[in-house]
mmCIF file of all heavy atoms in Angstrom:
data_model
loop_
_atom_site.group_PDB
_atom_site.id
_atom_site.type_symbol
_atom_site.label_atom_id
_atom_site.label_comp_id
_atom_site.label_asym_id
_atom_site.label_seq_id
_atom_site.Cartn_x
_atom_site.Cartn_y
_atom_site.Cartn_z
ATOM 1 N N ASP A 523 -52.363 82.942 1.680
ATOM 2 C CA ASP A 523 -53.733 83.165 2.126
ATOM 3 C C ASP A 523 -54.322 81.827 2.574
ATOM 4 O O ASP A 523 -54.419 80.901 1.765
ATOM 5 C CB ASP A 523 -54.545 83.738 0.956
ATOM 6 C CG ASP A 523 -55.960 84.117 1.363
ATOM 7 O OD1 ASP A 523 -56.502 83.510 2.318
ATOM 8 O OD2 ASP A 523 -56.533 85.019 0.717
ATOM 9 N N PRO A 524 -54.720 81.694 3.861
ATOM 10 C CA PRO A 524 -55.203 80.389 4.324
ATOM 11 C C PRO A 524 -56.537 79.998 3.686
ATOM 12 O O PRO A 524 -56.886 78.821 3.662
ATOM 13 C CB PRO A 524 -55.355 80.564 5.836
ATOM 14 C CG PRO A 524 -55.357 82.023 6.084
ATOM 15 C CD PRO A 524 -54.716 82.704 4.917
ATOM 16 N N SER A 525 -57.282 80.954 3.162
ATOM 17 C CA SER A 525 -58.605 80.614 2.629
ATOM 18 C C SER A 525 -58.531 79.936 1.268
ATOM 19 O O SER A 525 -59.270 79.005 0.992
ATOM 20 C CB SER A 525 -59.487 81.860 2.549
ATOM 21 O OG SER A 525 -59.008 82.737 1.551
ATOM 22 N N ASP A 526 -57.624 80.378 0.412
ATOM 23 C CA ASP A 526 -57.576 79.761 -0.921
ATOM 24 C C ASP A 526 -56.179 79.364 -1.367
ATOM 25 O O ASP A 526 -55.998 78.918 -2.509
ATOM 26 C CB ASP A 526 -58.209 80.690 -1.964
ATOM 27 C CG ASP A 526 -57.444 81.997 -2.131
ATOM 28 O OD1 ASP A 526 -56.418 82.172 -1.457
ATOM 29 O OD2 ASP A 526 -57.874 82.837 -2.940
ATOM 30 N N GLY A 527 -55.195 79.508 -0.490
ATOM 31 C CA GLY A 527 -53.850 79.049 -0.825
ATOM 32 C C GLY A 527 -53.035 79.983 -1.700
ATOM 33 O O GLY A 527 -51.922 79.651 -2.095
ATOM 34 N N THR A 528 -53.573 81.157 -2.012
ATOM 35 C CA THR A 528 -52.828 82.098 -2.850
ATOM 36 C C THR A 528 -51.503 82.491 -2.201
ATOM 37 O O THR A 528 -51.451 82.756 -1.003
ATOM 38 C CB THR A 528 -53.664 83.385 -3.052
ATOM 39 O OG1 THR A 528 -54.923 83.021 -3.605
ATOM 40 C CG2 THR A 528 -52.965 84.374 -3.963
ATOM 41 N N THR A 529 -50.441 82.525 -2.995
ATOM 42 C CA THR A 529 -49.174 83.073 -2.513
ATOM 43 C C THR A 529 -49.307 84.594 -2.511
ATOM 44 O O THR A 529 -49.538 85.206 -3.550
ATOM 45 C CB THR A 529 -48.008 82.638 -3.426
ATOM 46 O OG1 THR A 529 -47.926 81.215 -3.398
ATOM 47 C CG2 THR A 529 -46.687 83.223 -2.940
ATOM 48 N N LEU A 530 -49.187 85.195 -1.325
ATOM 49 C CA LEU A 530 -49.457 86.625 -1.193
ATOM 50 C C LEU A 530 -48.209 87.489 -1.326
ATOM 51 O O LEU A 530 -48.206 88.501 -2.012
ATOM 52 C CB LEU A 530 -50.083 86.903 0.177
ATOM 53 C CG LEU A 530 -51.446 86.272 0.472
ATOM 54 C CD1 LEU A 530 -51.804 86.465 1.941
ATOM 55 C CD2 LEU A 530 -52.502 86.896 -0.425
ATOM 56 N N THR A 531 -47.145 87.069 -0.614
ATOM 57 C CA THR A 531 -46.058 87.995 -0.356
ATOM 58 C C THR A 531 -44.736 87.242 -0.263
ATOM 59 O O THR A 531 -44.704 86.151 0.292
ATOM 60 C CB THR A 531 -46.322 88.714 0.992
ATOM 61 O OG1 THR A 531 -47.619 89.316 0.944
ATOM 62 C CG2 THR A 531 -45.299 89.773 1.272
ATOM 63 N N ALA A 532 -43.693 87.838 -0.829
ATOM 64 C CA ALA A 532 -42.332 87.304 -0.686
ATOM 65 C C ALA A 532 -41.613 88.120 0.381
ATOM 66 O O ALA A 532 -41.606 89.349 0.297
ATOM 67 C CB ALA A 532 -41.593 87.407 -2.003
ATOM 68 N N GLY A 533 -41.034 87.452 1.362
ATOM 69 C CA GLY A 533 -40.419 88.183 2.467
ATOM 70 C C GLY A 533 -38.939 87.919 2.626
ATOM 71 O O GLY A 533 -38.466 86.802 2.416
ATOM 72 N N MET A 534 -38.210 88.976 3.021
ATOM 73 C CA MET A 534 -36.786 88.874 3.291
ATOM 74 C C MET A 534 -36.523 89.423 4.686
ATOM 75 O O MET A 534 -36.759 90.606 4.948
ATOM 76 C CB MET A 534 -35.986 89.636 2.235
ATOM 77 C CG MET A 534 -36.016 88.934 0.889
ATOM 78 S SD MET A 534 -35.893 90.042 -0.513
ATOM 79 C CE MET A 534 -37.573 90.592 -0.657
ATOM 80 N N VAL A 535 -36.057 88.535 5.563
ATOM 81 C CA VAL A 535 -35.961 88.857 6.981
ATOM 82 C C VAL A 535 -34.808 89.805 7.260
ATOM 83 O O VAL A 535 -33.744 89.696 6.640
ATOM 84 C CB VAL A 535 -35.751 87.558 7.788
ATOM 85 C CG1 VAL A 535 -35.617 87.862 9.279
ATOM 86 C CG2 VAL A 535 -36.893 86.583 7.533
ATOM 87 N N GLY A 536 -35.029 90.709 8.195
ATOM 88 C CA GLY A 536 -33.900 91.466 8.715
ATOM 89 C C GLY A 536 -33.991 92.954 8.467
ATOM 90 O O GLY A 536 -34.931 93.453 7.859
ATOM 91 N N GLU A 537 -32.961 93.615 8.930
ATOM 92 C CA GLU A 537 -32.865 95.050 8.773
ATOM 93 C C GLU A 537 -32.709 95.369 7.297
ATOM 94 O O GLU A 537 -32.220 94.567 6.512
ATOM 95 C CB GLU A 537 -31.635 95.569 9.531
ATOM 96 C CG GLU A 537 -31.774 95.493 11.034
ATOM 97 C CD GLU A 537 -32.968 96.262 11.554
ATOM 98 O OE1 GLU A 537 -33.142 97.421 11.141
ATOM 99 O OE2 GLU A 537 -33.738 95.690 12.342
ATOM 100 N N SER A 538 -33.109 96.575 6.958
ATOM 101 C CA SER A 538 -32.864 97.025 5.607
ATOM 102 C C SER A 538 -31.367 97.083 5.374
ATOM 103 O O SER A 538 -30.593 97.411 6.257
ATOM 104 C CB SER A 538 -33.452 98.412 5.438
ATOM 105 O OG SER A 538 -32.849 99.035 4.347
ATOM 106 N N PHE A 539 -30.944 96.709 4.168
ATOM 107 C CA PHE A 539 -29.509 96.675 3.890
ATOM 108 C C PHE A 539 -28.991 97.993 3.372
ATOM 109 O O PHE A 539 -27.830 98.305 3.467
ATOM 110 C CB PHE A 539 -29.232 95.607 2.840
ATOM 111 C CG PHE A 539 -29.937 95.882 1.554
ATOM 112 C CD1 PHE A 539 -29.329 96.648 0.586
ATOM 113 C CD2 PHE A 539 -31.215 95.411 1.338
ATOM 114 C CE1 PHE A 539 -29.995 96.933 -0.590
ATOM 115 C CE2 PHE A 539 -31.868 95.699 0.152
ATOM 116 C CZ PHE A 539 -31.262 96.467 -0.813
ATOM 117 N N ALA A 540 -29.882 98.795 2.785
ATOM 118 C CA ALA A 540 -29.400 99.949 2.033
ATOM 119 C C ALA A 540 -29.052 101.123 2.933
ATOM 120 O O ALA A 540 -28.183 101.912 2.618
ATOM 121 C CB ALA A 540 -30.430 100.379 1.012
ATOM 122 N N SER A 541 -29.747 101.230 4.027
ATOM 123 C CA SER A 541 -29.515 102.378 4.883
ATOM 124 C C SER A 541 -29.498 101.944 6.338
ATOM 125 O O SER A 541 -30.459 101.365 6.821
ATOM 126 C CB SER A 541 -30.637 103.396 4.665
ATOM 127 O OG SER A 541 -30.727 104.241 5.782
ATOM 128 N N PRO A 542 -28.403 102.177 7.042
ATOM 129 C CA PRO A 542 -28.346 101.756 8.434
ATOM 130 C C PRO A 542 -29.192 102.649 9.351
ATOM 131 O O PRO A 542 -29.502 102.278 10.466
ATOM 132 C CB PRO A 542 -26.862 101.863 8.783
ATOM 133 C CG PRO A 542 -26.305 102.847 7.807
ATOM 134 C CD PRO A 542 -27.182 102.809 6.596
ATOM 135 N N GLU A 543 -29.583 103.796 8.873
ATOM 136 C CA GLU A 543 -30.352 104.719 9.716
ATOM 137 C C GLU A 543 -31.799 104.257 9.834
ATOM 138 O O GLU A 543 -32.315 103.606 8.943
ATOM 139 C CB GLU A 543 -30.352 106.136 9.131
ATOM 140 C CG GLU A 543 -28.997 106.801 9.094
ATOM 141 C CD GLU A 543 -28.369 106.703 7.721
ATOM 142 O OE1 GLU A 543 -29.048 107.021 6.741
ATOM 143 O OE2 GLU A 543 -27.210 106.271 7.641
ATOM 144 N N PRO A 544 -32.447 104.627 10.947
ATOM 145 C CA PRO A 544 -33.849 104.262 11.092
ATOM 146 C C PRO A 544 -34.698 104.983 10.042
ATOM 147 O O PRO A 544 -34.313 106.023 9.516
ATOM 148 C CB PRO A 544 -34.213 104.729 12.507
ATOM 149 C CG PRO A 544 -33.158 105.697 12.888
ATOM 150 C CD PRO A 544 -31.944 105.353 12.116
ATOM 151 N N VAL A 545 -35.852 104.400 9.781
ATOM 152 C CA VAL A 545 -36.759 104.968 8.794
ATOM 153 C C VAL A 545 -37.210 106.354 9.231
ATOM 154 O O VAL A 545 -37.659 106.554 10.345
ATOM 155 C CB VAL A 545 -37.998 104.057 8.632
ATOM 156 C CG1 VAL A 545 -39.008 104.696 7.685
ATOM 157 C CG2 VAL A 545 -37.584 102.696 8.131
ATOM 158 N N LYS A 546 -37.070 107.309 8.345
ATOM 159 C CA LYS A 546 -37.576 108.647 8.639
ATOM 160 C C LYS A 546 -38.946 108.782 7.985
ATOM 161 O O LYS A 546 -39.211 108.184 6.953
ATOM 162 C CB LYS A 546 -36.624 109.705 8.074
ATOM 163 C CG LYS A 546 -35.313 109.785 8.819
ATOM 164 C CD LYS A 546 -34.454 110.912 8.253
ATOM 165 C CE LYS A 546 -32.996 110.718 8.642
ATOM 166 N NZ LYS A 546 -32.117 111.052 7.532
ATOM 167 N N ASP A 547 -39.766 109.581 8.605
ATOM 168 C CA ASP A 547 -41.135 109.676 8.115
ATOM 169 C C ASP A 547 -41.342 110.772 7.085
ATOM 170 O O ASP A 547 -42.420 111.327 6.949
ATOM 171 C CB ASP A 547 -42.110 109.858 9.283
ATOM 172 C CG ASP A 547 -42.415 108.510 9.919
ATOM 173 O OD1 ASP A 547 -41.729 107.516 9.573
ATOM 174 O OD2 ASP A 547 -43.320 108.436 10.735
ATOM 175 N N GLU A 548 -40.275 111.143 6.373
ATOM 176 C CA GLU A 548 -40.458 112.163 5.344
ATOM 177 C C GLU A 548 -40.313 111.542 3.968
ATOM 178 O O GLU A 548 -39.357 110.836 3.687
ATOM 179 C CB GLU A 548 -39.400 113.283 5.473
ATOM 180 C CG GLU A 548 -39.655 114.245 6.604
ATOM 181 C CD GLU A 548 -38.863 113.834 7.829
ATOM 182 O OE1 GLU A 548 -37.717 113.405 7.684
ATOM 183 O OE2 GLU A 548 -39.403 113.945 8.947
ATOM 184 N N ALA A 549 -41.287 111.837 3.150
ATOM 185 C CA ALA A 549 -41.263 111.289 1.799
ATOM 186 C C ALA A 549 -40.084 111.846 1.001
ATOM 187 O O ALA A 549 -39.566 111.187 0.114
ATOM 188 C CB ALA A 549 -42.570 111.603 1.085
ATOM 189 N N GLU A 550 -39.639 113.063 1.351
ATOM 190 C CA GLU A 550 -38.569 113.675 0.558
ATOM 191 C C GLU A 550 -37.172 113.213 1.015
ATOM 192 O O GLU A 550 -36.178 113.623 0.443
ATOM 193 C CB GLU A 550 -38.665 115.198 0.600
ATOM 194 C CG GLU A 550 -38.478 115.843 1.954
ATOM 195 C CD GLU A 550 -39.776 115.906 2.772
ATOM 196 O OE1 GLU A 550 -40.720 115.170 2.425
ATOM 197 O OE2 GLU A 550 -39.841 116.669 3.743
ATOM 198 N N ASP A 551 -37.156 112.348 2.023
ATOM 199 C CA ASP A 551 -35.903 111.769 2.494
ATOM 200 C C ASP A 551 -35.108 111.217 1.314
ATOM 201 O O ASP A 551 -35.576 110.360 0.590
ATOM 202 C CB ASP A 551 -36.243 110.641 3.470
ATOM 203 C CG ASP A 551 -34.992 110.027 4.070
ATOM 204 O OD1 ASP A 551 -33.893 110.583 3.891
ATOM 205 O OD2 ASP A 551 -35.128 108.985 4.710
ATOM 206 N N ASP A 552 -33.892 111.709 1.118
ATOM 207 C CA ASP A 552 -33.191 111.263 -0.078
ATOM 208 C C ASP A 552 -32.394 109.978 0.134
ATOM 209 O O ASP A 552 -32.057 109.299 -0.814
ATOM 210 C CB ASP A 552 -32.322 112.384 -0.666
ATOM 211 C CG ASP A 552 -31.278 112.880 0.311
ATOM 212 O OD1 ASP A 552 -31.208 112.343 1.443
ATOM 213 O OD2 ASP A 552 -30.532 113.791 -0.029
ATOM 214 N N GLY A 553 -32.094 109.650 1.397
ATOM 215 C CA GLY A 553 -31.617 108.302 1.668
ATOM 216 C C GLY A 553 -32.861 107.443 1.683
ATOM 217 O O GLY A 553 -33.910 107.892 2.082
ATOM 218 N N TRP A 554 -32.779 106.223 1.213
ATOM 219 C CA TRP A 554 -34.013 105.461 1.186
ATOM 220 C C TRP A 554 -33.796 104.099 1.808
ATOM 221 O O TRP A 554 -32.682 103.683 2.055
ATOM 222 C CB TRP A 554 -34.559 105.342 -0.229
ATOM 223 C CG TRP A 554 -33.607 104.675 -1.150
ATOM 224 C CD1 TRP A 554 -32.563 105.265 -1.793
ATOM 225 C CD2 TRP A 554 -33.571 103.315 -1.471
ATOM 226 N NE1 TRP A 554 -31.889 104.354 -2.510
ATOM 227 C CE2 TRP A 554 -32.484 103.140 -2.341
ATOM 228 C CE3 TRP A 554 -34.355 102.214 -1.130
ATOM 229 C CZ2 TRP A 554 -32.153 101.912 -2.866
ATOM 230 C CZ3 TRP A 554 -34.025 100.993 -1.664
ATOM 231 C CH2 TRP A 554 -32.935 100.846 -2.521
#
Side-chain angles (χ1 to χ4, degrees):
Chain A
D523 185 332
S525 69
D526 64 1
T528 304
T529 299
L530 297 171
T531 305
M534 289 150 278
V535 179
E537 290 302 312
S538 160
F539 61 89
S541 158
E543 295 99 49
V545 175
K546 290 183 199 140
D547 278 10
E548 284 96 39
E550 64 274 17
D551 183 10
D552 59 1
W554 59 277

